[in-house]
Structures are given as structure tokens and as C-alpha cells.
Coordinates of all heavy atoms in Angstrom, one line a residue:
M27 N 199.5 114.6 144.7 CA 199.6 115.9 144.1 C 201.1 116.2 143.8 O 201.4 116.7 142.7 CB 199.0 117.0 145.0 CG 199.2 118.4 144.5 SD 198.2 118.6 143.0 CE 198.6 120.3 142.6
E28 N 201.9 116.0 144.7 CA 203.4 116.2 144.6 C 204.0 115.4 143.5 O 204.9 115.8 142.8 CB 204.1 116.0 145.9 CG 205.5 116.6 146.0 CD 206.0 116.6 147.4 OE1 205.4 117.2 148.3 OE2 207.1 116.0 147.5
N29 N 203.6 114.2 143.5 CA 204.0 113.2 142.5 C 203.6 113.7 141.0 O 204.4 113.6 140.0 CB 203.6 111.8 142.7 CG 204.3 110.8 141.9 OD1 205.4 111.0 141.4 ND2 203.7 109.6 141.8
T30 N 202.4 114.2 140.9 CA 202.0 114.7 139.6 C 202.8 115.9 139.2 O 203.1 116.0 138.0 CB 200.5 115.1 139.7 OG1 199.7 114.0 140.2 CG2 199.9 115.5 138.4
V31 N 203.0 116.8 140.0 CA 203.9 118.0 139.7 C 205.2 117.6 139.3 O 205.8 118.1 138.3 CB 203.9 119.0 140.9 CG1 204.9 120.1 140.7 CG2 202.5 119.5 141.2
F32 N 205.8 116.6 140.0 CA 207.1 116.1 139.7 C 207.2 115.5 138.3 O 208.1 115.7 137.5 CB 207.7 115.1 140.7 CG 209.0 114.5 140.3 CD1 210.1 115.2 140.5 CD2 209.0 113.2 139.9 CE1 211.4 114.7 140.1 CE2 210.3 112.6 139.6 CZ 211.4 113.4 139.7
K33 N 206.1 114.7 138.0 CA 206.0 114.1 136.7 C 205.9 115.1 135.6 O 206.5 115.0 134.5 CB 204.9 113.1 136.6 CG 205.1 111.8 137.3 CD 204.0 110.9 137.1 CE 204.2 109.5 137.8 NZ 203.1 108.6 137.6
L34 N 205.2 116.2 135.8 CA 204.9 117.2 134.8 C 206.3 118.0 134.6 O 206.6 118.2 133.4 CB 203.9 118.2 135.3 CG 203.6 119.4 134.4 CD1 203.0 118.9 133.1 CD2 202.6 120.4 135.1
V35 N 207.0 118.3 135.6 CA 208.3 119.0 135.5 C 209.3 118.1 134.7 O 210.0 118.6 133.9 CB 208.8 119.5 136.9 CG1 210.2 120.0 136.8 CG2 207.9 120.5 137.5
R36 N 209.3 116.9 135.1 CA 210.3 115.9 134.5 C 209.9 115.8 133.0 O 210.8 115.8 132.1 CB 210.2 114.6 135.2 CG 211.2 113.6 134.6 CD 211.1 112.3 135.4 NE 211.9 111.3 134.8 CZ 211.3 110.3 134.1 NH1 210.0 110.1 134.0 NH2 212.1 109.4 133.5
S37 N 208.6 115.6 132.7 CA 208.2 115.5 131.3 C 208.5 116.7 130.5 O 209.0 116.6 129.3 CB 206.7 115.2 131.2 OG 206.5 113.9 131.8
S38 N 208.3 117.9 131.1 CA 208.5 119.1 130.4 C 210.0 119.3 130.1 O 210.4 119.7 129.0 CB 208.0 120.3 131.2 OG 206.6 120.2 131.4
W39 N 210.9 118.9 131.1 CA 212.3 119.0 130.9 C 212.8 118.1 129.8 O 213.6 118.5 129.0 CB 213.0 118.7 132.2 CG 214.5 118.7 132.1 CD1 215.3 117.7 132.0 CD2 215.3 119.9 132.1 NE1 216.6 118.1 131.9 CE2 216.7 119.5 131.9 CE3 215.1 121.3 132.2 CZ2 217.7 120.4 131.8 CZ3 216.2 122.1 132.1 CH2 217.4 121.7 131.9
M40 N 212.2 116.9 129.8 CA 212.6 115.9 128.7 C 212.2 116.4 127.4 O 212.9 116.3 126.4 CB 212.1 114.6 129.0 CG 212.8 113.8 130.1 SD 212.1 112.2 130.4 CE 212.6 111.4 128.9
L41 N 211.0 117.0 127.3 CA 210.4 117.5 126.0 C 211.3 118.7 125.5 O 211.6 118.7 124.3 CB 209.0 117.9 126.2 CG 208.4 118.5 124.9 CD1 208.2 117.4 123.9 CD2 207.0 119.0 125.3
L42 N 211.6 119.6 126.4 CA 212.4 120.7 125.9 C 213.8 120.5 125.4 O 214.3 121.0 124.5 CB 212.4 121.8 127.0 CG 211.2 122.6 127.2 CD1 211.4 123.5 128.4 CD2 210.9 123.4 126.0
R43 N 214.4 119.5 126.1 CA 215.8 119.2 125.8 C 216.6 120.5 125.8 O 217.2 120.9 124.8 CB 216.0 118.4 124.6 CG 215.3 117.1 124.6 CD 215.3 116.4 123.2 NE 214.5 115.3 123.2 CZ 213.4 115.2 122.4 NH1 213.2 116.1 121.6 NH2 212.7 114.1 122.5
L44 N 216.5 121.3 126.9 CA 217.0 122.7 127.0 C 218.5 122.8 126.7 O 218.8 123.8 126.1 CB 216.6 123.2 128.4 CG 216.5 124.7 128.4 CD1 215.5 125.2 127.5 CD2 216.2 125.1 129.8
I45 N 219.3 121.9 127.0 CA 220.7 122.0 126.8 C 220.9 122.0 125.3 O 221.7 122.9 124.8 CB 221.5 120.8 127.4 CG1 221.2 120.7 128.9 CG2 223.0 120.8 127.0 CD1 221.7 122.0 129.7
A46 N 220.2 121.2 124.5 CA 220.4 121.2 123.0 C 219.9 122.5 122.4 O 220.5 123.1 121.5 CB 219.7 120.0 122.4
V47 N 218.8 123.0 123.0 CA 218.2 124.3 122.5 C 219.2 125.4 122.7 O 219.4 126.3 121.9 CB 216.8 124.5 123.1 CG1 216.3 125.9 122.7 CG2 215.9 123.5 122.6
I48 N 219.7 125.5 123.9 CA 220.6 126.6 124.4 C 221.9 126.6 123.6 O 222.3 127.6 123.0 CB 220.9 126.5 125.9 CG1 219.6 126.9 126.6 CG2 222.1 127.5 126.2 CD1 219.8 126.8 128.1
S49 N 222.4 125.4 123.4 CA 223.7 125.3 122.7 C 223.6 125.6 121.2 O 224.5 126.2 120.6 CB 224.4 123.9 122.9 OG 223.5 122.9 122.3
S50 N 222.5 125.3 120.6 CA 222.4 125.6 119.2 C 221.7 127.0 118.9 O 222.2 127.7 118.1 CB 221.6 124.5 118.5 OG 220.3 124.4 119.0
S51 N 220.7 127.2 119.5 CA 219.9 128.5 119.2 C 220.6 129.7 119.8 O 220.7 130.7 119.1 CB 218.5 128.4 119.8 OG 217.8 127.4 119.2
I52 N 221.0 129.7 121.0 CA 221.6 130.9 121.6 C 222.9 131.3 121.0 O 223.2 132.4 120.8 CB 221.8 130.6 123.1 CG1 220.4 130.4 123.8 CG2 222.5 131.8 123.8 CD1 219.4 131.4 123.8
A53 N 223.6 130.3 120.5 CA 224.9 130.7 119.8 C 224.6 131.4 118.5 O 225.3 132.4 118.2 CB 225.7 129.4 119.6
V54 N 223.6 131.0 117.8 CA 223.2 131.7 116.6 C 222.7 133.1 116.9 O 223.0 134.0 116.2 CB 222.1 130.9 115.8 CG1 221.6 131.7 114.6 CG2 222.7 129.6 115.4
I55 N 221.9 133.2 118.0 CA 221.3 134.5 118.3 C 222.4 135.5 118.7 O 222.5 136.6 118.2 CB 220.3 134.3 119.4 CG1 219.0 133.6 119.0 CG2 219.9 135.7 120.0 CD1 218.1 133.2 120.0
L56 N 223.4 135.0 119.6 CA 224.5 135.9 119.9 C 225.3 136.3 118.7 O 225.8 137.4 118.6 CB 225.4 135.1 121.0 CG 224.8 135.1 122.4 CD1 225.7 134.3 123.3 CD2 224.6 136.5 123.0
S57 N 225.6 135.3 117.9 CA 226.5 135.7 116.7 C 225.8 136.6 115.8 O 226.4 137.4 115.0 CB 227.0 134.5 116.0 OG 225.9 133.8 115.4
S58 N 224.4 136.6 115.8 CA 223.6 137.5 114.9 C 223.6 138.9 115.5 O 223.6 139.9 114.8 CB 222.3 137.0 114.7 OG 222.3 135.7 114.1
L59 N 223.6 139.0 116.8 CA 223.4 140.3 117.4 C 224.7 141.0 117.7 O 224.8 142.2 117.9 CB 222.7 140.2 118.7 CG 221.2 139.8 118.7 CD1 220.6 139.7 120.1 CD2 220.4 140.9 117.9
L60 N 225.8 140.3 117.6 CA 227.2 140.8 117.9 C 227.5 141.9 117.0 O 228.0 143.0 117.4 CB 228.2 139.7 117.8 CG 229.6 140.2 118.3 CD1 229.6 140.7 119.7 CD2 230.6 139.0 118.1
P61 N 227.3 141.9 115.7 CA 227.6 143.0 114.8 C 226.8 144.3 115.1 O 227.3 145.4 115.0 CB 227.3 142.5 113.4 CG 227.3 141.0 113.4 CD 226.9 140.7 114.8
F62 N 225.5 144.0 115.6 CA 224.7 145.3 116.0 C 225.3 145.9 117.2 O 225.3 147.1 117.3 CB 223.3 144.8 116.2 CG 222.5 144.5 115.0 CD1 222.1 143.1 114.8 CD2 222.1 145.4 114.1 CE1 221.5 142.8 113.7 CE2 221.4 145.1 113.0 CZ 221.1 143.7 112.8
F63 N 225.9 145.0 118.1 CA 226.4 145.6 119.3 C 227.8 146.3 119.0 O 228.1 147.4 119.6 CB 226.7 144.5 120.3 CG 227.4 144.9 121.6 CD1 226.7 145.6 122.6 CD2 228.7 144.6 121.8 CE1 227.2 146.0 123.7 CE2 229.3 145.0 123.0 CZ 228.6 145.7 124.0
L64 N 228.6 145.8 118.1 CA 229.9 146.3 117.8 C 229.8 147.5 116.9 O 230.6 148.4 116.9 CB 230.8 145.3 117.3 CG 231.1 144.1 118.3 CD1 232.0 143.1 117.5 CD2 231.9 144.7 119.5
Y65 N 229.0 147.5 115.8 CA 229.1 148.4 114.7 C 227.9 149.4 114.6 O 227.8 150.1 113.6 CB 229.3 147.7 113.4 CG 230.5 146.8 113.4 CD1 230.4 145.5 113.4 CD2 231.8 147.3 113.6 CE1 231.5 144.6 113.4 CE2 232.9 146.6 113.7 CZ 232.8 145.2 113.6 OH 233.9 144.4 113.6
T66 N 226.9 149.4 115.5 CA 225.8 150.3 115.4 C 225.7 151.1 116.7 O 226.3 150.8 117.7 CB 224.5 149.6 115.1 OG1 224.2 148.8 116.2 CG2 224.5 148.8 113.8
S67 N 224.8 152.0 116.7 CA 224.6 152.8 117.9 C 223.4 152.4 118.6 O 222.8 153.2 119.4 CB 224.5 154.3 117.5 OG 223.5 154.5 116.6
M68 N 222.9 151.2 118.4 CA 221.7 150.7 119.2 C 222.1 150.6 120.6 O 223.2 150.2 121.0 CB 221.3 149.3 118.7 CG 220.7 149.2 117.3 SD 220.2 147.6 117.0 CE 219.5 147.8 115.4
S69 N 221.1 150.9 121.5 CA 221.3 150.9 122.9 C 221.5 149.5 123.4 O 220.9 148.5 122.8 CB 220.2 151.6 123.6 OG 219.0 150.9 123.6
F70 N 222.2 149.3 124.5 CA 222.4 148.0 125.1 C 221.0 147.4 125.6 O 220.8 146.2 125.4 CB 223.3 148.1 126.3 CG 223.5 146.7 126.9 CD1 224.4 145.8 126.3 CD2 223.0 146.5 128.1 CE1 224.5 144.5 126.9 CE2 223.2 145.2 128.7 CZ 224.0 144.3 128.1
G71 N 220.1 148.3 126.1 CA 218.9 147.9 126.5 C 218.0 147.3 125.4 O 217.3 146.3 125.5
Y72 N 218.0 147.9 124.2 CA 217.3 147.4 123.1 C 217.9 146.1 122.6 O 217.1 145.2 122.3 CB 217.3 148.5 122.0 CG 216.5 148.0 120.7 CD1 215.1 147.9 120.9 CD2 217.1 147.7 119.5 CE1 214.4 147.5 119.7 CE2 216.4 147.3 118.5 CZ 215.0 147.3 118.6 OH 214.3 146.9 117.4
L73 N 219.2 146.0 122.6 CA 219.9 144.7 122.2 C 219.5 143.6 123.2 O 219.3 142.5 122.8 CB 221.4 144.9 122.0 CG 221.7 145.7 120.8 CD1 223.2 146.0 120.8 CD2 221.3 145.0 119.5
L74 N 219.5 143.9 124.4 CA 219.1 142.9 125.4 C 217.7 142.5 125.3 O 217.4 141.3 125.4 CB 219.3 143.6 126.9 CG 219.1 142.6 128.0 CD1 220.0 141.4 128.0 CD2 219.2 143.4 129.3
F75 N 216.8 143.4 125.0 CA 215.4 143.1 124.7 C 215.3 142.2 123.5 O 214.6 141.2 123.5 CB 214.6 144.4 124.4 CG 213.2 144.1 123.9 CD1 212.2 143.6 124.7 CD2 212.9 144.4 122.6 CE1 210.9 143.3 124.2 CE2 211.7 144.1 122.0 CZ 210.7 143.6 122.9
L76 N 216.1 142.5 122.4 CA 216.0 141.6 121.2 C 216.6 140.2 121.6 O 216.0 139.2 121.2 CB 216.9 142.2 120.1 CG 216.3 143.3 119.3 CD1 217.3 143.8 118.3 CD2 215.0 142.9 118.6
F77 N 217.7 140.2 122.4 CA 218.2 138.9 122.8 C 217.2 138.1 123.5 O 217.0 136.8 123.3 CB 219.5 139.1 123.6 CG 220.0 137.8 124.2 CD1 220.7 136.9 123.3 CD2 219.9 137.5 125.5 CE1 221.2 135.7 123.9 CE2 220.3 136.3 126.0 CZ 221.0 135.4 125.2
L78 N 216.5 138.6 124.5 CA 215.6 137.9 125.3 C 214.4 137.5 124.5 O 213.9 136.3 124.6 CB 215.1 138.7 126.5 CG 216.2 139.1 127.5 CD1 215.7 140.0 128.6 CD2 216.7 137.8 128.2
L79 N 213.9 138.4 123.6 CA 212.7 138.0 122.7 C 213.2 136.9 121.8 O 212.4 135.9 121.7 CB 212.4 139.2 121.9 CG 211.2 139.0 120.9 CD1 209.9 138.8 121.7 CD2 211.1 140.2 120.0
L80 N 214.3 137.0 121.2 CA 214.7 135.9 120.3 C 215.0 134.6 121.0 O 214.7 133.5 120.5 CB 216.0 136.3 119.5 CG 215.8 137.4 118.4 CD1 217.1 137.9 117.9 CD2 214.9 137.0 117.3
S81 N 215.5 134.6 122.2 CA 215.7 133.5 123.0 C 214.5 132.8 123.4 O 214.3 131.5 123.4 CB 216.6 133.8 124.3 OG 217.8 134.3 124.0
M82 N 213.5 133.6 123.9 CA 212.2 133.0 124.2 C 211.5 132.4 123.0 O 210.9 131.2 123.0 CB 211.3 134.0 124.9 CG 211.7 134.4 126.2 SD 210.5 135.5 127.1 CE 210.5 136.9 126.0
T83 N 211.6 133.0 121.8 CA 211.1 132.5 120.6 C 211.8 131.2 120.2 O 211.1 130.3 119.8 CB 211.1 133.5 119.5 OG1 210.6 134.7 119.9 CG2 210.4 133.1 118.2
A84 N 213.1 131.2 120.4 CA 213.8 129.9 120.0 C 213.4 128.8 120.8 O 213.2 127.7 120.4 CB 215.3 130.2 120.1
V85 N 213.3 129.0 122.2 CA 212.9 127.9 123.1 C 211.5 127.5 122.7 O 211.2 126.3 122.7 CB 213.0 128.5 124.6 CG1 212.2 127.4 125.5 CG2 214.4 128.6 125.0
M86 N 210.6 128.5 122.3 CA 209.2 128.1 122.0 C 209.2 127.2 120.8 O 208.5 126.2 120.7 CB 208.4 129.4 121.9 CG 207.0 129.1 121.5 SD 206.2 128.2 122.9 CE 204.5 128.6 122.6
F87 N 209.8 127.7 119.7 CA 209.8 126.9 118.4 C 210.6 125.7 118.4 O 210.2 124.6 118.1 CB 210.1 127.9 117.2 CG 209.1 128.8 116.9 CD1 209.2 130.1 117.1 CD2 207.9 128.4 116.2 CE1 208.2 131.0 116.8 CE2 207.0 129.2 115.9 CZ 207.0 130.5 116.1
H88 N 211.9 125.9 118.8 CA 212.8 124.8 118.8 C 212.6 123.8 119.9 O 212.6 122.6 119.8 CB 214.3 125.3 118.8 CG 215.3 124.3 118.6 ND1 216.6 124.5 119.0 CD2 215.3 123.0 118.2 CE1 217.3 123.4 118.7 NE2 216.5 122.5 118.3
G89 N 212.4 124.3 121.1 CA 212.3 123.5 122.3 C 210.9 122.8 122.4 O 210.9 121.7 122.8
V90 N 209.9 123.5 122.1 CA 208.6 123.0 122.4 C 208.0 122.4 121.1 O 207.7 121.2 121.0 CB 207.6 124.1 123.0 CG1 206.2 123.5 123.2 CG2 208.2 124.6 124.3
L91 N 207.7 123.2 120.2 CA 207.0 122.8 119.0 C 207.7 121.7 118.1 O 207.1 120.7 117.8 CB 206.7 124.0 118.1 CG 205.8 125.0 118.6 CD1 205.6 126.2 117.7 CD2 204.4 124.5 119.0
T92 N 209.0 121.9 117.9 CA 209.7 120.9 117.1 C 209.9 119.6 117.8 O 209.6 118.5 117.2 CB 211.1 121.4 116.8 OG1 211.0 122.7 116.1 CG2 211.9 120.4 115.9
H93 N 210.2 119.6 119.1 CA 210.3 118.3 119.9 C 209.0 117.7 120.1 O 208.9 116.4 120.1 CB 211.1 118.6 121.2 CG 212.5 119.0 120.9 ND1 213.2 119.8 121.7 CD2 213.4 118.6 120.0 CE1 214.4 119.9 121.3 NE2 214.5 119.2 120.2
L94 N 207.9 118.5 120.4 CA 206.6 118.0 120.5 C 206.1 117.2 119.3 O 205.6 116.1 119.2 CB 205.6 119.0 120.9 CG 204.1 118.5 121.2 CD1 204.2 117.6 122.4 CD2 203.3 119.7 121.5
F95 N 206.3 117.9 118.1 CA 206.0 117.3 116.9 C 206.8 116.0 116.6 O 206.2 115.0 116.1 CB 206.2 118.3 115.7 CG 205.9 117.7 114.4 CD1 204.6 117.5 114.0 CD2 206.9 117.4 113.4 CE1 204.2 117.0 112.7 CE2 206.6 116.9 112.2 CZ 205.3 116.7 111.8
N96 N 208.0 116.0 116.9 CA 208.9 114.9 116.7 C 208.4 113.7 117.6 O 208.3 112.5 117.2 CB 210.4 115.2 117.0 CG 211.3 114.0 116.8 OD1 211.1 113.2 115.9 ND2 212.3 114.0 117.6
D97 N 208.1 114.0 118.9 CA 207.6 112.9 119.8 C 206.3 112.4 119.3 O 206.0 111.2 119.3 CB 207.5 113.4 121.2 CG 208.9 113.5 121.9 OD1 209.8 113.0 121.3 OD2 208.9 113.9 123.1
H98 N 205.4 113.3 118.8 CA 204.1 112.8 118.3 C 204.3 111.9 117.1 O 203.7 110.8 117.0 CB 203.2 114.0 117.9 CG 201.9 113.6 117.4 ND1 201.7 113.5 116.0 CD2 200.7 113.3 118.0 CE1 200.4 113.1 115.8 NE2 199.9 113.0 117.0
T99 N 205.2 112.3 116.1 CA 205.4 111.5 115.0 C 206.0 110.2 115.3 O 205.7 109.1 114.8 CB 206.4 112.3 114.0 OG1 205.8 113.5 113.7 CG2 206.6 111.5 112.7
D100 N 207.0 110.1 116.3 CA 207.6 108.9 116.7 C 206.5 107.9 117.4 O 206.5 106.7 117.1 CB 208.7 109.1 117.8 CG 209.9 109.7 117.2 OD1 210.1 109.7 116.0 OD2 210.7 110.2 118.0
Y101 N 205.6 108.5 118.0 CA 204.5 107.7 118.7 C 203.6 107.1 117.6 O 203.2 106.0 117.6 CB 203.7 108.5 119.7 CG 202.5 107.8 120.2 CD1 202.7 106.8 121.2 CD2 201.2 108.2 119.9 CE1 201.6 106.1 121.7 CE2 200.2 107.5 120.4 CZ 200.3 106.5 121.3 OH 199.2 105.9 121.8
V102 N 203.2 108.0 116.7 CA 202.2 107.6 115.6 C 202.8 106.5 114.7 O 202.2 105.5 114.3 CB 201.7 108.8 114.8 CG1 201.0 108.4 113.6 CG2 200.9 109.7 115.7
T103 N 204.1 106.7 114.4 CA 204.8 105.8 113.4 C 205.2 104.5 114.1 O 205.6 103.5 113.4 CB 205.9 106.4 112.7 OG1 206.9 106.8 113.7 CG2 205.5 107.6 111.8
G104 N 205.2 104.5 115.4 CA 205.6 103.2 116.1 C 207.1 103.2 116.5 O 207.6 102.2 117.0
T105 N 207.8 104.3 116.2 CA 209.3 104.2 116.5 C 209.5 104.1 118.0 O 210.4 103.5 118.4 CB 209.9 105.6 116.0 OG1 209.6 105.7 114.7 CG2 211.4 105.6 116.3
D106 N 208.6 104.7 118.9 CA 208.8 104.6 120.3 C 208.7 103.2 120.8 O 209.4 102.7 121.7 CB 207.8 105.5 121.0 CG 208.2 106.9 121.1 OD1 209.4 107.2 120.7 OD2 207.3 107.7 121.4
A107 N 207.8 102.4 120.2 CA 207.6 101.0 120.6 C 208.7 100.1 120.2 O 209.0 99.1 120.9 CB 206.3 100.5 120.0
K108 N 209.4 100.5 119.1 CA 210.5 99.6 118.5 C 211.8 100.0 119.0 O 212.7 99.2 118.8 CB 210.4 99.7 117.0 CG 209.1 99.2 116.4 CD 209.1 99.4 114.9 CE 207.8 99.0 114.4 NZ 207.6 99.4 112.9
S109 N 212.0 101.2 119.6 CA 213.3 101.7 119.9 C 213.6 101.6 121.5 O 212.7 102.0 122.2 CB 213.4 103.1 119.5 OG 214.7 103.6 119.9
P110 N 214.7 101.1 121.9 CA 215.0 100.9 123.3 C 215.5 102.2 123.9 O 215.4 102.4 125.1 CB 216.0 99.9 123.3 CG 216.8 100.0 122.1 CD 215.7 100.4 121.1
G111 N 216.1 103.1 123.1 CA 216.7 104.3 123.7 C 216.1 105.6 123.5 O 215.2 105.8 122.6
V112 N 216.4 106.6 124.4 CA 215.9 108.0 124.2 C 216.4 108.6 123.0 O 215.6 109.3 122.3 CB 216.2 108.7 125.5 CG1 215.8 110.2 125.3 CG2 215.6 108.2 126.7
L113 N 217.6 108.4 122.6 CA 218.2 109.2 121.5 C 217.7 108.6 120.2 O 217.7 109.3 119.2 CB 219.7 109.1 121.6 CG 220.3 109.8 122.7 CD1 221.8 109.7 122.7 CD2 220.0 111.3 122.7
S114 N 217.2 107.4 120.1 CA 216.8 106.8 118.8 C 215.3 106.7 118.7 O 214.8 106.3 117.7 CB 217.4 105.5 118.6 OG 217.1 104.6 119.6
G115 N 214.6 106.9 119.8 CA 213.1 106.8 119.7 C 212.3 107.8 120.3 O 211.2 107.6 120.7
G116 N 212.8 109.0 120.5 CA 212.1 110.0 121.1 C 212.1 110.0 122.7 O 212.6 109.0 123.2
S117 N 211.6 111.0 123.3 CA 211.6 111.0 124.8 C 210.4 110.2 125.4 O 210.4 110.1 126.6 CB 211.6 112.4 125.2 OG 210.4 113.1 124.9
K118 N 209.4 109.9 124.6 CA 208.2 109.2 125.1 C 207.4 110.0 126.1 O 206.7 109.5 126.9 CB 208.6 107.8 125.7 CG 209.3 106.9 124.6 CD 209.7 105.6 125.3 CE 210.5 104.8 124.2 NZ 211.0 103.7 124.7
V119 N 207.5 111.3 126.0 CA 206.9 112.2 126.9 C 205.3 112.2 126.7 O 204.6 112.2 127.7 CB 207.4 113.7 126.7 CG1 206.6 114.7 127.5 CG2 208.8 113.7 127.1
I120 N 204.9 112.1 125.5 CA 203.4 112.2 125.2 C 202.7 110.9 125.5 O 201.4 110.9 125.3 CB 203.2 112.7 123.8 CG1 203.6 111.6 122.8 CG2 203.8 114.1 123.5 CD1 203.2 111.9 121.3
Q121 N 203.4 109.9 125.9 CA 202.7 108.6 126.1 C 202.1 108.6 127.5 O 202.6 109.1 128.4 CB 203.6 107.5 126.0 CG 204.1 107.3 124.5 CD 205.0 106.1 124.3 OE1 205.4 105.5 125.3 NE2 205.4 105.9 123.1

């Protein structure tokens, strides 16, 4: 049971590639919300809610759906079988 949970956590981490998602998506979200923070009278609580909502949505779309679709396409086209590395052939999570 413990080994199965470890494999699930490891696979999920590899699928999300959270560092890439955070560095690209969160930077865009922060730069988009900064003018609202500086030049409007929106409350900090509302802006924090928007930030959290947009961050969760970015992780969902960018981290899960995009990478899952990419891994599936790599598996179907045979790229995973022909490629030796993670960066050039997907994470092989769905295999």
C-alpha cells in the first residue's frame, strides 16, 4: 500500500512539473494583478482571492491538462519508446 501511494505521488509530481508551471504561470498572474493592486481601490482580500483562483486554474490547465495531453500524445505516437530522456520524450507517467 505504501509503495502504491509513493508511486502515485511521484507520478503526479512528474506530470505536473510544478516548477515550470509556477515560474511561467504565476509570473503572468502577478504581473496582471499588479496594476489592480496599485491603481484601483479593490480590496486586498478580493485580489488575494483572484490570485488564488487564477493560480489554481493555471495549475489545473497548464499543469494537469496540458502535460497529460502531451504525455498521451507522446505515448500514442511512439515518442516515449524512441526517446531516452525525460525532456525529449515526455515523463512516461501514463505508461
Side-chain angles (χ1 to χ4, degrees):
M27 175 70 179
E28 195 171 300
N29 194 19
T30 305
V31 171
F32 177 73
K33 284 184 180 180
L34 179 64
V35 169
R36 182 174 170 257
S37 296
S38 299
W39 179 258
M40 286 182 68
L41 179 64
L42 282 176
R43 299 176 191 116
L44 203 54
I45 300 301
V47 172
I48 289 173
S49 63
S50 61
S51 299
I52 301 300
V54 172
I55 292 168
L56 284 175
S57 64
S58 298
L59 290 178
L60 187 61
F62 289 109
F63 179 71
L64 295 175
Y65 302 116
T66 67
S67 61
M68 287 184 179
S69 70
F70 180 75
Y72 183 69
L73 289 173
L74 182 63
F75 169 74
L76 282 178
F77 173 76
L78 294 175
L79 179 68
L80 291 171
S81 298
M82 288 186 299
T83 307
V85 168
M86 182 63 160
F87 282 109
H88 185 196
V90 177
L91 296 177
T92 303
H93 291 146
L94 183 64
F95 179 71
N96 182 34
D97 281 355
H98 178 267
T99 304
D100 287 345
Y101 175 72
V102 169
T103 60
T105 304
D106 281 345
K108 297 174 187 173
S109 176
V112 173
L113 293 177
S114 59
S117 62
K118 301 179 183 172
V119 170
I120 64 169
Q121 294 178 355

